[in-house]
């Protein structure tokens, strides 16, 4: 079981990436009911995995959210989960597809 880490800036993100070669990150909007449902599934998953997990709140960290989209060459969505291994987003999903089962299947 790992701790869900909140990222608020590009420097927070860079620090997290420097500590982990494999991780999962969730971009979450505090104003969207779909995002709330996805984030709830993500936190359930985070409570059961040994893989490092992090999240950011879009409203507080829009610059970071855009940076992650550009860094991993993925289209920005919210909510969105990215599974990163060795510097590449190897799996990403969004909206209602963010489920604990999907995370366990695709991430482990």
């Amino acid at each position: 079981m790992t701790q869900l880490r909140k990222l608020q800036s590009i420097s927070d993100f860079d620090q997290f990436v420097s500590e982990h070669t494999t991780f999962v990150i969730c971009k979450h909007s505090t104003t969207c009911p779909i995002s709330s449902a996805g984030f709830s599934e993500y936190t359930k998953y985070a409570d059961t995995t040994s893989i490092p997990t992090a999240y950011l709140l879009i409203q507080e960290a829009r610059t970071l959210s855009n940076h992650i989209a550009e860094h991993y060459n993925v289209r920005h969505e919210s909510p969105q989960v990215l599974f990163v291994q060795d510097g590449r987003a190897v799996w990403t999903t969004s909206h209602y597809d963010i489920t604990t089962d999907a995370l366990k299947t695709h991430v482990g």
Side-chain angles (χ1 to χ4, degrees):
M1 190 161 28
T2 62
Q3 181 175 352
L4 189 56
R5 188 149 137 200
K6 183 177 182 180
L7 305 177
Q8 296 179 284
S9 66
I10 292 173
S11 61
D12 285 351
F13 172 74
D14 289 345
Q15 177 68 36
F16 186 73
V17 170
S18 75
E19 296 168 2
H20 310 287
T21 56
T22 299
F23 60 89
V24 187
I25 189 166
C26 180
K27 299 161 96 184
H28 169 51
S29 168
T30 57
T31 58
C32 172
I34 296 170
S35 190
S36 293
F39 190 65
S40 176
E41 290 290 308
Y42 180 70
T43 56
K44 285 182 210 168
Y45 169 76
D47 286 343
T48 66
T49 187
S50 60
I51 295 171
T53 54
Y55 73 99
L56 64 97
L57 301 178
I58 305 274
Q59 287 82 353
E60 295 177 4
R62 185 62 189 207
T63 301
L64 173 57
S65 179
N66 292 338
H67 174 76
I68 290 169
E70 291 170 22
H71 186 80
Y72 294 109
N73 196 28
V74 296
R75 185 173 68 114
H76 165 78
E77 297 186 80
S78 173
Q80 182 176 41
V81 170
L82 291 85
F83 174 41
V84 175
Q85 284 184 304
D86 300 318
R88 290 182 38 242
V90 296
W91 180 72
T92 182
T93 194
S94 66
H95 295 84
Y96 289 116
D97 293 332
I98 301 171
T99 65
T100 304
D101 287 344
L103 284 154
K104 287 179 180 177
T105 297
H106 294 279
V107 179

Short mmCIF file of all heavy atoms in Angstrom, two decimals, residues 16-81:
data_model
loop_
_atom_site.label_atom_id
_atom_site.label_comp_id
_atom_site.label_asym_id
_atom_site.label_seq_id
_atom_site.Cartn_x
_atom_site.Cartn_y
_atom_site.Cartn_z
N PHE A 16 8.80 13.93 -7.96
CA PHE A 16 8.12 12.63 -7.95
C PHE A 16 8.70 11.71 -9.02
O PHE A 16 9.01 10.54 -8.77
CB PHE A 16 6.61 12.83 -8.14
CG PHE A 16 5.80 11.58 -8.02
CD1 PHE A 16 5.57 10.99 -6.78
CD2 PHE A 16 5.24 10.99 -9.14
CE1 PHE A 16 4.81 9.85 -6.66
CE2 PHE A 16 4.48 9.84 -9.03
CZ PHE A 16 4.26 9.27 -7.79
N VAL A 17 8.87 12.24 -10.24
CA VAL A 17 9.42 11.46 -11.35
C VAL A 17 10.86 11.03 -11.05
O VAL A 17 11.26 9.91 -11.40
CB VAL A 17 9.35 12.25 -12.67
CG1 VAL A 17 10.13 11.59 -13.78
CG2 VAL A 17 7.89 12.45 -13.09
N SER A 18 11.62 11.88 -10.38
CA SER A 18 13.00 11.53 -10.06
C SER A 18 13.08 10.39 -9.03
O SER A 18 14.07 9.68 -8.96
CB SER A 18 13.77 12.75 -9.55
OG SER A 18 13.40 13.07 -8.22
N GLU A 19 12.02 10.21 -8.26
CA GLU A 19 11.98 9.18 -7.23
C GLU A 19 11.44 7.84 -7.74
O GLU A 19 11.65 6.81 -7.11
CB GLU A 19 11.10 9.64 -6.06
CG GLU A 19 11.64 10.85 -5.33
CD GLU A 19 10.61 11.45 -4.37
OE1 GLU A 19 9.48 10.90 -4.24
OE2 GLU A 19 10.92 12.49 -3.77
N HIS A 20 10.70 7.86 -8.86
CA HIS A 20 10.00 6.66 -9.33
C HIS A 20 10.12 6.51 -10.84
O HIS A 20 9.87 7.46 -11.57
CB HIS A 20 8.51 6.73 -8.97
CG HIS A 20 8.25 7.06 -7.54
ND1 HIS A 20 8.47 6.16 -6.51
CD2 HIS A 20 7.80 8.18 -6.94
CE1 HIS A 20 8.16 6.73 -5.36
NE2 HIS A 20 7.76 7.95 -5.59
N THR A 21 10.44 5.30 -11.30
CA THR A 21 10.44 5.05 -12.75
C THR A 21 9.08 4.52 -13.21
O THR A 21 8.75 4.61 -14.38
CB THR A 21 11.53 4.03 -13.14
OG1 THR A 21 11.33 2.83 -12.40
CG2 THR A 21 12.91 4.59 -12.86
N THR A 22 8.32 3.98 -12.29
CA THR A 22 6.97 3.49 -12.57
C THR A 22 6.02 4.13 -11.58
O THR A 22 6.28 4.14 -10.38
CB THR A 22 6.92 1.95 -12.43
OG1 THR A 22 7.83 1.37 -13.36
CG2 THR A 22 5.52 1.42 -12.68
N PHE A 23 4.92 4.69 -12.10
CA PHE A 23 3.93 5.33 -11.22
C PHE A 23 2.63 5.54 -11.97
O PHE A 23 2.56 5.40 -13.19
CB PHE A 23 4.45 6.64 -10.65
CG PHE A 23 4.79 7.68 -11.69
CD1 PHE A 23 3.85 8.57 -12.16
CD2 PHE A 23 6.08 7.76 -12.20
CE1 PHE A 23 4.16 9.52 -13.11
CE2 PHE A 23 6.41 8.71 -13.15
CZ PHE A 23 5.45 9.59 -13.61
N VAL A 24 1.60 5.90 -11.21
CA VAL A 24 0.29 6.23 -11.77
C VAL A 24 -0.06 7.63 -11.27
O VAL A 24 0.17 7.96 -10.10
CB VAL A 24 -0.79 5.23 -11.33
CG1 VAL A 24 -2.10 5.50 -12.06
CG2 VAL A 24 -0.34 3.80 -11.56
N ILE A 25 -0.61 8.44 -12.17
CA ILE A 25 -1.01 9.79 -11.79
C ILE A 25 -2.43 10.05 -12.28
O ILE A 25 -2.83 9.59 -13.35
CB ILE A 25 -0.01 10.83 -12.35
CG1 ILE A 25 -0.28 12.21 -11.78
CG2 ILE A 25 0.00 10.84 -13.86
CD1 ILE A 25 0.85 13.20 -12.01
N CYS A 26 -3.19 10.78 -11.47
CA CYS A 26 -4.57 11.11 -11.81
C CYS A 26 -4.73 12.62 -11.85
O CYS A 26 -4.32 13.32 -10.92
CB CYS A 26 -5.52 10.52 -10.78
SG CYS A 26 -7.27 10.85 -11.09
N LYS A 27 -5.32 13.10 -12.94
CA LYS A 27 -5.68 14.52 -13.06
C LYS A 27 -7.17 14.61 -12.73
O LYS A 27 -7.99 13.95 -13.37
CB LYS A 27 -5.41 14.99 -14.48
CG LYS A 27 -3.94 14.89 -14.86
CD LYS A 27 -3.76 14.91 -16.36
CE LYS A 27 -3.45 16.30 -16.82
NZ LYS A 27 -3.35 16.38 -18.29
N HIS A 28 -7.50 15.42 -11.74
CA HIS A 28 -8.85 15.44 -11.18
C HIS A 28 -9.39 16.86 -11.14
O HIS A 28 -8.70 17.78 -10.73
CB HIS A 28 -8.80 14.83 -9.78
CG HIS A 28 -10.03 15.00 -8.95
ND1 HIS A 28 -11.29 14.67 -9.39
CD2 HIS A 28 -10.19 15.46 -7.69
CE1 HIS A 28 -12.17 14.92 -8.44
NE2 HIS A 28 -11.53 15.40 -7.40
N SER A 29 -10.65 17.01 -11.57
CA SER A 29 -11.33 18.30 -11.49
C SER A 29 -12.28 18.29 -10.30
O SER A 29 -13.09 17.38 -10.15
CB SER A 29 -12.13 18.57 -12.77
OG SER A 29 -12.99 19.66 -12.58
N THR A 30 -12.18 19.31 -9.47
CA THR A 30 -13.01 19.38 -8.26
C THR A 30 -14.44 19.82 -8.55
O THR A 30 -15.29 19.79 -7.66
CB THR A 30 -12.39 20.34 -7.24
OG1 THR A 30 -12.24 21.62 -7.85
CG2 THR A 30 -11.05 19.83 -6.75
N THR A 31 -14.72 20.22 -9.80
CA THR A 31 -16.06 20.73 -10.11
C THR A 31 -16.88 19.79 -10.99
O THR A 31 -18.01 20.12 -11.34
CB THR A 31 -15.96 22.09 -10.83
OG1 THR A 31 -15.18 21.93 -12.01
CG2 THR A 31 -15.34 23.14 -9.92
N CYS A 32 -16.35 18.61 -11.30
CA CYS A 32 -17.02 17.71 -12.24
C CYS A 32 -17.44 16.42 -11.54
O CYS A 32 -16.60 15.73 -10.96
CB CYS A 32 -16.06 17.40 -13.39
SG CYS A 32 -16.64 16.12 -14.50
N PRO A 33 -18.72 16.07 -11.60
CA PRO A 33 -19.19 14.83 -10.97
C PRO A 33 -18.55 13.58 -11.58
O PRO A 33 -18.29 12.61 -10.86
CB PRO A 33 -20.70 14.83 -11.21
CG PRO A 33 -21.06 16.17 -11.71
CD PRO A 33 -19.81 16.84 -12.17
N ILE A 34 -18.30 13.58 -12.87
CA ILE A 34 -17.64 12.43 -13.51
C ILE A 34 -16.23 12.28 -12.92
O ILE A 34 -15.77 11.19 -12.62
CB ILE A 34 -17.59 12.59 -15.04
CG1 ILE A 34 -18.99 12.61 -15.62
CG2 ILE A 34 -16.75 11.47 -15.68
CD1 ILE A 34 -19.06 13.00 -17.09
N SER A 35 -15.55 13.41 -12.75
CA SER A 35 -14.20 13.39 -12.19
C SER A 35 -14.23 12.88 -10.75
O SER A 35 -13.36 12.11 -10.35
CB SER A 35 -13.58 14.78 -12.26
OG SER A 35 -12.21 14.72 -11.94
N SER A 36 -15.22 13.28 -10.00
CA SER A 36 -15.34 12.80 -8.61
C SER A 36 -15.49 11.30 -8.56
O SER A 36 -14.88 10.62 -7.72
CB SER A 36 -16.52 13.47 -7.91
OG SER A 36 -16.29 14.84 -7.75
N ALA A 37 -16.29 10.75 -9.46
CA ALA A 37 -16.48 9.30 -9.51
C ALA A 37 -15.17 8.61 -9.89
O ALA A 37 -14.77 7.61 -9.26
CB ALA A 37 -17.58 8.94 -10.51
N GLY A 38 -14.48 9.13 -10.89
CA GLY A 38 -13.21 8.55 -11.31
C GLY A 38 -12.15 8.64 -10.22
O GLY A 38 -11.39 7.70 -10.00
N PHE A 39 -12.11 9.78 -9.54
CA PHE A 39 -11.12 9.96 -8.47
C PHE A 39 -11.40 9.01 -7.30
O PHE A 39 -10.47 8.48 -6.69
CB PHE A 39 -11.09 11.41 -8.01
CG PHE A 39 -9.95 11.73 -7.09
CD1 PHE A 39 -8.64 11.65 -7.54
CD2 PHE A 39 -10.17 12.10 -5.77
CE1 PHE A 39 -7.56 11.95 -6.70
CE2 PHE A 39 -9.11 12.39 -4.92
CZ PHE A 39 -7.81 12.31 -5.39
N SER A 40 -12.66 8.77 -7.03
CA SER A 40 -13.02 7.82 -5.97
C SER A 40 -12.51 6.42 -6.32
O SER A 40 -11.94 5.72 -5.47
CB SER A 40 -14.54 7.80 -5.79
OG SER A 40 -14.92 6.83 -4.85
N GLU A 41 -12.68 6.01 -7.57
CA GLU A 41 -12.16 4.71 -8.02
C GLU A 41 -10.63 4.69 -7.92
O GLU A 41 -10.04 3.70 -7.52
CB GLU A 41 -12.60 4.43 -9.47
CG GLU A 41 -14.08 4.15 -9.62
CD GLU A 41 -14.49 2.81 -9.04
OE1 GLU A 41 -13.87 1.79 -9.38
OE2 GLU A 41 -15.44 2.79 -8.24
N TYR A 42 -10.00 5.78 -8.31
CA TYR A 42 -8.53 5.89 -8.28
C TYR A 42 -8.01 5.76 -6.84
O TYR A 42 -7.04 5.06 -6.59
CB TYR A 42 -8.10 7.21 -8.90
CG TYR A 42 -6.60 7.41 -8.93
CD1 TYR A 42 -5.80 6.66 -9.77
CD2 TYR A 42 -6.00 8.37 -8.12
CE1 TYR A 42 -4.42 6.86 -9.80
CE2 TYR A 42 -4.63 8.57 -8.14
CZ TYR A 42 -3.84 7.81 -8.99
OH TYR A 42 -2.48 8.00 -9.02
N THR A 43 -8.66 6.43 -5.90
CA THR A 43 -8.19 6.37 -4.51
C THR A 43 -8.38 4.97 -3.93
O THR A 43 -7.55 4.51 -3.15
CB THR A 43 -8.86 7.42 -3.61
OG1 THR A 43 -10.28 7.27 -3.67
CG2 THR A 43 -8.48 8.83 -4.03
N LYS A 44 -9.45 4.28 -4.34
CA LYS A 44 -9.63 2.88 -3.90
C LYS A 44 -8.47 2.03 -4.41
O LYS A 44 -7.94 1.20 -3.69
CB LYS A 44 -10.96 2.31 -4.42
CG LYS A 44 -12.17 2.80 -3.69
CD LYS A 44 -13.40 2.11 -4.27
CE LYS A 44 -14.60 3.00 -4.15
NZ LYS A 44 -15.75 2.52 -4.93
N TYR A 45 -8.11 2.24 -5.68
CA TYR A 45 -6.98 1.51 -6.26
C TYR A 45 -5.69 1.85 -5.51
O TYR A 45 -4.91 0.97 -5.16
CB TYR A 45 -6.84 1.83 -7.75
CG TYR A 45 -5.56 1.32 -8.32
CD1 TYR A 45 -5.40 -0.04 -8.61
CD2 TYR A 45 -4.48 2.17 -8.54
CE1 TYR A 45 -4.20 -0.53 -9.10
CE2 TYR A 45 -3.28 1.68 -9.04
CZ TYR A 45 -3.15 0.33 -9.31
OH TYR A 45 -1.97 -0.15 -9.79
N ALA A 46 -5.47 3.13 -5.27
CA ALA A 46 -4.23 3.58 -4.60
C ALA A 46 -4.08 2.93 -3.23
O ALA A 46 -2.96 2.65 -2.80
CB ALA A 46 -4.22 5.10 -4.49
N ASP A 47 -5.19 2.68 -2.57
CA ASP A 47 -5.15 2.05 -1.24
C ASP A 47 -4.73 0.58 -1.29
O ASP A 47 -4.41 0.01 -0.26
CB ASP A 47 -6.52 2.13 -0.56
CG ASP A 47 -6.84 3.52 -0.05
OD1 ASP A 47 -5.91 4.35 0.08
OD2 ASP A 47 -8.03 3.79 0.21
N THR A 48 -4.74 -0.02 -2.48
CA THR A 48 -4.47 -1.45 -2.58
C THR A 48 -3.18 -1.78 -3.32
O THR A 48 -2.83 -2.96 -3.43
CB THR A 48 -5.62 -2.18 -3.31
OG1 THR A 48 -5.68 -1.73 -4.67
CG2 THR A 48 -6.94 -1.94 -2.62
N THR A 49 -2.48 -0.80 -3.86
CA THR A 49 -1.33 -1.08 -4.71
C THR A 49 -0.01 -0.67 -4.05
O THR A 49 0.00 0.21 -3.17
CB THR A 49 -1.46 -0.38 -6.08
OG1 THR A 49 -0.39 -0.81 -6.92
CG2 THR A 49 -1.40 1.14 -5.95
N SER A 50 1.06 -1.29 -4.49
CA SER A 50 2.39 -0.87 -4.04
C SER A 50 3.05 0.07 -5.05
O SER A 50 4.12 0.60 -4.81
CB SER A 50 3.28 -2.10 -3.83
OG SER A 50 3.41 -2.80 -5.04
N ILE A 51 2.38 0.29 -6.18
CA ILE A 51 2.90 1.20 -7.20
C ILE A 51 2.68 2.64 -6.72
O ILE A 51 1.59 2.97 -6.24
CB ILE A 51 2.18 0.96 -8.55
CG1 ILE A 51 2.53 -0.44 -9.06
CG2 ILE A 51 2.57 2.02 -9.58
CD1 ILE A 51 1.73 -0.90 -10.24
N PRO A 52 3.69 3.49 -6.83
CA PRO A 52 3.53 4.88 -6.40
C PRO A 52 2.37 5.57 -7.14
O PRO A 52 2.22 5.40 -8.35
CB PRO A 52 4.86 5.52 -6.76
CG PRO A 52 5.83 4.38 -6.77
CD PRO A 52 5.04 3.21 -7.29
N THR A 53 1.57 6.31 -6.39
CA THR A 53 0.42 7.00 -6.96
C THR A 53 0.45 8.47 -6.59
O THR A 53 0.89 8.84 -5.49
CB THR A 53 -0.91 6.38 -6.45
OG1 THR A 53 -0.90 6.37 -5.03
CG2 THR A 53 -1.10 4.96 -6.97
N ALA A 54 -0.02 9.29 -7.52
CA ALA A 54 -0.06 10.73 -7.29
C ALA A 54 -1.30 11.29 -7.98
O ALA A 54 -1.93 10.63 -8.80
CB ALA A 54 1.19 11.40 -7.84
N TYR A 55 -1.64 12.51 -7.61
CA TYR A 55 -2.76 13.18 -8.25
C TYR A 55 -2.52 14.68 -8.24
O TYR A 55 -1.67 15.19 -7.52
CB TYR A 55 -4.09 12.85 -7.55
CG TYR A 55 -4.25 13.53 -6.21
CD1 TYR A 55 -5.01 14.69 -6.09
CD2 TYR A 55 -3.66 13.02 -5.06
CE1 TYR A 55 -5.18 15.31 -4.85
CE2 TYR A 55 -3.81 13.63 -3.83
CZ TYR A 55 -4.58 14.77 -3.74
OH TYR A 55 -4.72 15.39 -2.52
N LEU A 56 -3.30 15.36 -9.09
CA LEU A 56 -3.29 16.82 -9.07
C LEU A 56 -4.71 17.30 -9.27
O LEU A 56 -5.53 16.60 -9.87
CB LEU A 56 -2.37 17.38 -10.15
CG LEU A 56 -2.74 17.11 -11.59
CD1 LEU A 56 -3.49 18.28 -12.19
CD2 LEU A 56 -1.48 16.85 -12.39
N LEU A 57 -5.00 18.44 -8.71
CA LEU A 57 -6.30 19.08 -8.88
C LEU A 57 -6.15 20.10 -10.00
O LEU A 57 -5.35 21.04 -9.89
CB LEU A 57 -6.75 19.74 -7.58
CG LEU A 57 -6.88 18.80 -6.38
CD1 LEU A 57 -7.29 19.58 -5.14
CD2 LEU A 57 -7.89 17.70 -6.67
N ILE A 58 -6.90 19.90 -11.07
CA ILE A 58 -6.78 20.76 -12.25
C ILE A 58 -6.93 22.24 -11.89
O ILE A 58 -6.17 23.08 -12.36
CB ILE A 58 -7.85 20.38 -13.30
CG1 ILE A 58 -7.78 18.91 -13.64
CG2 ILE A 58 -7.78 21.29 -14.52
CD1 ILE A 58 -6.84 18.49 -14.69
N GLN A 59 -7.91 22.57 -11.05
CA GLN A 59 -8.16 23.98 -10.71
C GLN A 59 -6.97 24.63 -10.01
O GLN A 59 -6.76 25.82 -10.12
CB GLN A 59 -9.41 24.12 -9.83
CG GLN A 59 -10.70 23.90 -10.57
CD GLN A 59 -11.06 22.43 -10.75
OE1 GLN A 59 -10.29 21.54 -10.42
NE2 GLN A 59 -12.24 22.17 -11.28
N GLU A 60 -6.21 23.83 -9.28
CA GLU A 60 -5.07 24.37 -8.53
C GLU A 60 -3.76 24.28 -9.31
O GLU A 60 -2.80 24.96 -8.97
CB GLU A 60 -4.89 23.60 -7.22
CG GLU A 60 -6.03 23.74 -6.26
CD GLU A 60 -5.84 22.88 -5.01
OE1 GLU A 60 -4.77 22.23 -4.86
OE2 GLU A 60 -6.75 22.87 -4.17
N ALA A 61 -3.72 23.41 -10.31
CA ALA A 61 -2.44 23.12 -10.97
C ALA A 61 -2.62 22.97 -12.48
O ALA A 61 -2.17 22.00 -13.08
CB ALA A 61 -1.83 21.86 -10.36
N ARG A 62 -3.26 23.93 -13.10
CA ARG A 62 -3.51 23.86 -14.55
C ARG A 62 -2.20 23.82 -15.33
O ARG A 62 -2.07 23.10 -16.32
CB ARG A 62 -4.38 25.04 -14.99
CG ARG A 62 -4.79 24.99 -16.44
CD ARG A 62 -5.62 23.76 -16.71
NE ARG A 62 -5.83 23.59 -18.12
CZ ARG A 62 -6.87 22.98 -18.64
NH1 ARG A 62 -7.77 22.45 -17.86
NH2 ARG A 62 -6.99 22.86 -19.93
N THR A 63 -1.22 24.60 -14.91
CA THR A 63 0.07 24.60 -15.59
C THR A 63 0.70 23.22 -15.55
O THR A 63 1.22 22.72 -16.55
CB THR A 63 1.02 25.65 -14.96
OG1 THR A 63 0.41 26.93 -15.06
CG2 THR A 63 2.36 25.68 -15.65
N LEU A 64 0.64 22.58 -14.40
CA LEU A 64 1.18 21.22 -14.26
C LEU A 64 0.39 20.25 -15.13
O LEU A 64 0.98 19.39 -15.80
CB LEU A 64 1.14 20.77 -12.80
CG LEU A 64 1.52 19.32 -12.53
CD1 LEU A 64 2.91 18.99 -13.08
CD2 LEU A 64 1.42 19.01 -11.06
N SER A 65 -0.92 20.36 -15.15
CA SER A 65 -1.74 19.48 -15.96
C SER A 65 -1.35 19.57 -17.43
O SER A 65 -1.18 18.56 -18.11
CB SER A 65 -3.22 19.84 -15.78
OG SER A 65 -4.02 19.02 -16.58
N ASN A 66 -1.18 20.79 -17.92
CA ASN A 66 -0.76 20.99 -19.31
C ASN A 66 0.64 20.44 -19.54
O ASN A 66 0.93 19.85 -20.58
CB ASN A 66 -0.82 22.47 -19.68
CG ASN A 66 -2.23 23.00 -19.74
OD1 ASN A 66 -3.19 22.25 -19.90
ND2 ASN A 66 -2.38 24.30 -19.59
N HIS A 67 1.52 20.64 -18.57
CA HIS A 67 2.90 20.14 -18.67
C HIS A 67 2.91 18.61 -18.81
O HIS A 67 3.65 18.06 -19.64
CB HIS A 67 3.69 20.57 -17.42
CG HIS A 67 5.07 19.99 -17.35
ND1 HIS A 67 6.11 20.46 -18.12
CD2 HIS A 67 5.56 18.97 -16.61
CE1 HIS A 67 7.20 19.75 -17.84
NE2 HIS A 67 6.88 18.84 -16.93
N ILE A 68 2.09 17.93 -18.02
CA ILE A 68 2.02 16.46 -18.08
C ILE A 68 1.51 16.01 -19.44
O ILE A 68 2.06 15.08 -20.05
CB ILE A 68 1.17 15.91 -16.93
CG1 ILE A 68 1.91 16.11 -15.60
CG2 ILE A 68 0.81 14.44 -17.15
CD1 ILE A 68 1.08 15.83 -14.37
N ALA A 69 0.48 16.68 -19.96
CA ALA A 69 -0.06 16.33 -21.28
C ALA A 69 1.03 16.47 -22.35
O ALA A 69 1.20 15.59 -23.20
CB ALA A 69 -1.26 17.21 -21.60
N GLU A 70 1.77 17.56 -22.30
CA GLU A 70 2.83 17.78 -23.28
C GLU A 70 3.99 16.81 -23.06
O GLU A 70 4.52 16.25 -24.02
CB GLU A 70 3.35 19.23 -23.17
CG GLU A 70 2.34 20.26 -23.65
CD GLU A 70 2.77 21.68 -23.31
OE1 GLU A 70 3.98 21.92 -23.11
OE2 GLU A 70 1.89 22.55 -23.26
N HIS A 71 4.38 16.61 -21.81
CA HIS A 71 5.52 15.76 -21.48
C HIS A 71 5.32 14.33 -21.97
O HIS A 71 6.26 13.69 -22.46
CB HIS A 71 5.75 15.79 -19.97
CG HIS A 71 6.97 15.08 -19.51
ND1 HIS A 71 8.21 15.65 -19.57
CD2 HIS A 71 7.14 13.83 -18.99
CE1 HIS A 71 9.11 14.79 -19.09
NE2 HIS A 71 8.48 13.68 -18.74
N TYR A 72 4.10 13.80 -21.82
CA TYR A 72 3.82 12.42 -22.19
C TYR A 72 3.09 12.31 -23.54
O TYR A 72 2.68 11.23 -23.94
CB TYR A 72 3.04 11.71 -21.09
CG TYR A 72 3.88 11.55 -19.86
CD1 TYR A 72 3.61 12.28 -18.71
CD2 TYR A 72 4.98 10.69 -19.84
CE1 TYR A 72 4.40 12.16 -17.58
CE2 TYR A 72 5.78 10.57 -18.72
CZ TYR A 72 5.49 11.30 -17.60
OH TYR A 72 6.28 11.18 -16.48
N ASN A 73 2.93 13.44 -24.20
CA ASN A 73 2.31 13.47 -25.53
C ASN A 73 0.92 12.80 -25.53
O ASN A 73 0.63 11.93 -26.33
CB ASN A 73 3.23 12.81 -26.57
CG ASN A 73 2.82 13.15 -27.98
OD1 ASN A 73 2.24 14.20 -28.22
ND2 ASN A 73 3.10 12.26 -28.91
N VAL A 74 0.11 13.22 -24.56
CA VAL A 74 -1.27 12.74 -24.47
C VAL A 74 -2.19 13.94 -24.48
O VAL A 74 -1.83 15.03 -24.04
CB VAL A 74 -1.52 11.89 -23.20
CG1 VAL A 74 -0.70 10.62 -23.22
CG2 VAL A 74 -1.27 12.68 -21.93
N ARG A 75 -3.38 13.74 -25.01
CA ARG A 75 -4.37 14.81 -25.02
C ARG A 75 -4.88 15.03 -23.60
O ARG A 75 -5.18 14.07 -22.89
CB ARG A 75 -5.52 14.40 -25.95
CG ARG A 75 -6.56 15.48 -26.15
CD ARG A 75 -7.54 15.04 -27.21
NE ARG A 75 -8.34 13.93 -26.73
CZ ARG A 75 -9.66 14.00 -26.51
NH1 ARG A 75 -10.30 15.11 -26.74
NH2 ARG A 75 -10.32 12.95 -26.08
N HIS A 76 -4.98 16.28 -23.20
CA HIS A 76 -5.49 16.58 -21.86
C HIS A 76 -6.96 16.17 -21.77
O HIS A 76 -7.77 16.51 -22.61
CB HIS A 76 -5.37 18.08 -21.56
CG HIS A 76 -6.19 18.48 -20.38
ND1 HIS A 76 -5.79 18.24 -19.09
CD2 HIS A 76 -7.41 19.07 -20.30
CE1 HIS A 76 -6.73 18.67 -18.26
NE2 HIS A 76 -7.72 19.17 -18.97
N GLU A 77 -7.27 15.44 -20.70
CA GLU A 77 -8.65 15.12 -20.37
C GLU A 77 -8.79 15.22 -18.86
O GLU A 77 -7.81 15.21 -18.14
CB GLU A 77 -9.01 13.70 -20.84
CG GLU A 77 -8.93 13.54 -22.35
CD GLU A 77 -9.42 12.18 -22.78
OE1 GLU A 77 -10.66 12.02 -22.86
OE2 GLU A 77 -8.60 11.30 -23.04
N SER A 78 -10.02 15.32 -18.42
CA SER A 78 -10.27 15.41 -17.00
C SER A 78 -11.63 14.77 -16.70
O SER A 78 -12.62 15.20 -17.30
CB SER A 78 -10.27 16.86 -16.54
OG SER A 78 -10.66 16.95 -15.20
N PRO A 79 -11.63 13.76 -15.87
CA PRO A 79 -10.50 13.16 -15.18
C PRO A 79 -9.67 12.31 -16.14
O PRO A 79 -10.18 11.87 -17.17
CB PRO A 79 -11.15 12.29 -14.11
CG PRO A 79 -12.44 11.86 -14.76
CD PRO A 79 -12.89 13.05 -15.57
N GLN A 80 -8.43 12.08 -15.76
CA GLN A 80 -7.54 11.29 -16.58
C GLN A 80 -6.52 10.58 -15.70
O GLN A 80 -6.03 11.15 -14.73
CB GLN A 80 -6.80 12.20 -17.57
CG GLN A 80 -5.88 11.50 -18.53
CD GLN A 80 -5.29 12.47 -19.53
OE1 GLN A 80 -4.91 13.59 -19.18
NE2 GLN A 80 -5.21 12.05 -20.77
N VAL A 81 -6.22 9.33 -16.03
CA VAL A 81 -5.20 8.55 -15.34
C VAL A 81 -4.14 8.16 -16.35
O VAL A 81 -4.46 7.75 -17.46
CB VAL A 81 -5.81 7.30 -14.68
CG1 VAL A 81 -4.72 6.37 -14.17
CG2 VAL A 81 -6.74 7.68 -13.53
#
